[in-house]
Amino acid sequence: MHMWFNTGMMSAGMNMLKEKLPMANFDAVLKGTVSAVSISFENGKISAKSKQYYNDEMTKVIAANRPQPISADIINRLPSSDVVAVMAFNFAPNTIKDVLKMLGVDVMANAFLATKYQTGIDELLNATKGNVVLAISDPQMNTDTMSFGGRTQIVPKMPSAKFLLATSVKDRAAFEKLMGLVGEAKKQMGGKDEGGTNWGARMPFLSGINYKLENDWFIVSNSPAYTDKFVAGGNNNFPFANKITGHPMGAYVDLQRIIRFFGSMAMAKDSSSAEMNQLALNTWENITATGADFNGKYVESEFEVNLVDKNTNSLKQISQFMDKVSSYNKRRIQEEGRWHESMNQAMPDSAAMAPGYGK
């Protein structure tokens, strides 16, 4: 299956930024942008490949700012053996500066930063190397407490997981200034971390979350131990790492782990839900994606949905899966209808039970 989109025309029609920045020349960036996508249903997997074409000027910007491929070392240093999903990407910070020039707002942006924050685009872009990784791991069911009406009550078990967002730091002073600007934009105040740097005041939206700037990394996580282990480095040698590295962007989602986790939840412990959970486990395996590869003319990306059965065409498997889901839903609706009918029959007639009825 092949698809073609005039992305530039679609983006121009839906670009809300034109109202906010009428002086910006968005056409210089968007005009001539075209997307071509092909989807194939192979045995055991669904594959999608895309090519993104840009106008000549934007192509020159991309060619001059090619990001480095993701290193397996960054993925393998994630401090967990139970990674559910991960996405990593590299970008060339100078791309932002070149795009601002194309938009015609670079001078205005520099003037604004110099007047209000005593800095400039070059200094802020020097804050990061352009490496970013986001991971979700260790899903579990947690019991918590909640105060209501002066009483503390136990909240039923809720799903939770560890998350980590890390970005590489090039110039620590510039990065601290960048984070300070973000904090000022929020116009709120927060707490102070153990290191003495008032990150809470600078980034109040991180209040209650662990964050650390150390060893050329800025890490945000909901687990201090998770953060410290990432900073220390390590090598978990994940089997999926080689599938998503070697490109400027890579992502992985463990569908089996997600299905098993939700299948273990209390809401999924009845026999009918267990049946659907097993059907999903027998069908879906994982998702991998790579992209942002520039070959001189266009940017390429690939996306795969891998299935458990490697010997049957994926389109046939999806059709069979949907048929079984439809059959299950019909049966569930019928069972619920019979249950409601039996409950109505078991209940005494309200009129017959009314005091003095029939006198």
Side-chain angles (χ1 to χ4, degrees), residues 11 43 54 57-58 96 98 104 110 116 131 135 154 171 184 198-199 206 225 232 260 282 292 304 332 350:
S11 301
N43 286 355
Y54 298 90
E57 290 304 311
M58 191 64 195
I96 298 174
D98 288 347
N110 261 321
K116 191 169 180 64
N131 312 117
I154 296 178
D171 184 306
E184 286 187 40
N198 198 355
W199 292 103
L206 294 180
R260 287 198 305 272
N282 293 341
E304 281 188 359
R332 180 177 58 82
S350 58

Side-chain angles (χ1 to χ4, degrees), residues 93-169:
N94 200 61
T95 304
I96 298 174
K97 180 180 178 180
D98 288 347
V99 170
L100 290 175
K101 286 182 179 179
M102 289 185 65
L103 293 172
V105 297
D106 56 315
V107 175
M108 181 181 67
N110 261 321
F112 172 77
L113 290 171
T115 302
K116 191 169 180 64
Y117 300 109
Q118 295 75 54
T119 187
I121 295 173
D122 288 334
E123 182 180 14
L124 295 183
L125 294 183
N126 200 45
T128 177
K129 299 175 184 176
N131 312 117
V132 180
V133 60
L134 170 65
I136 300 173
S137 68
D138 305 287
Q140 58 183 330
M141 300 295 293
N142 283 343
T143 300
D144 202 351
T145 59
M146 178 181 66
S147 297
F148 182 76
R151 296 181 179 180
T152 300
Q153 298 179 341
I154 296 178
V155 180
K157 288 187 175 182
M158 297 293 290
S160 67
K162 293 179 181 178
F163 78 87
L164 179 142
L165 172 65
T167 183
S168 58
V169 176

Side-chain angles (χ1 to χ4, degrees), residues 181-315:
L181 300 189
V182 175
E184 286 187 40
K186 292 295 180 178
K187 295 181 180 179
Q188 295 179 10
M189 296 299 290
K192 196 171 185 178
D193 72 359
E194 296 179 358
T197 302
N198 198 355
W199 292 103
R202 295 176 174 180
M203 296 172 293
F205 56 92
L206 294 180
S207 179
I209 297 176
N210 178 259
Y211 38 90
K212 179 175 285 189
L213 175 59
E214 189 173 331
N215 292 352
D216 298 331
W217 284 99
F218 177 71
I219 307 103
V220 180
S221 175
N222 59 349
S223 168
Y226 207 56
T227 300
D228 292 339
K229 287 180 180 179
F230 182 87
V231 170
N235 186 6
N236 275 316
N237 197 24
F238 294 110
F240 60 82
N242 291 333
K243 298 179 181 179
I244 65 173
T245 54
H247 309 269
M249 186 281 292
Y252 171 81
V253 179
D254 188 344
L255 297 178
Q256 287 277 302
R257 184 66 179 93
I258 294 173
I259 295 168
R260 287 198 305 272
F261 173 66
F262 284 103
S264 67
M265 294 174 63
M267 67 181 73
K269 287 187 177 179
D270 59 279
S271 59
S272 58
S273 295
E275 177 186 346
M276 284 303 301
N277 185 260
Q278 190 59 50
L279 173 62
L281 282 172
N282 293 341
T283 305
W284 309 102
E285 187 176 41
N286 60 54
I287 297 173
T288 61
T290 59
D293 294 293
F294 181 65
N295 75 344
K297 295 182 179 180
Y298 49 80
V299 176
E300 296 180 285
S301 299
E302 294 189 14
F303 181 89
E304 281 188 359
V305 179
N306 295 292
L307 308 181
V308 175
D309 182 355
K310 306 300 182 184
N311 301 316
T312 306
N313 181 269
S314 55
L315 187 58

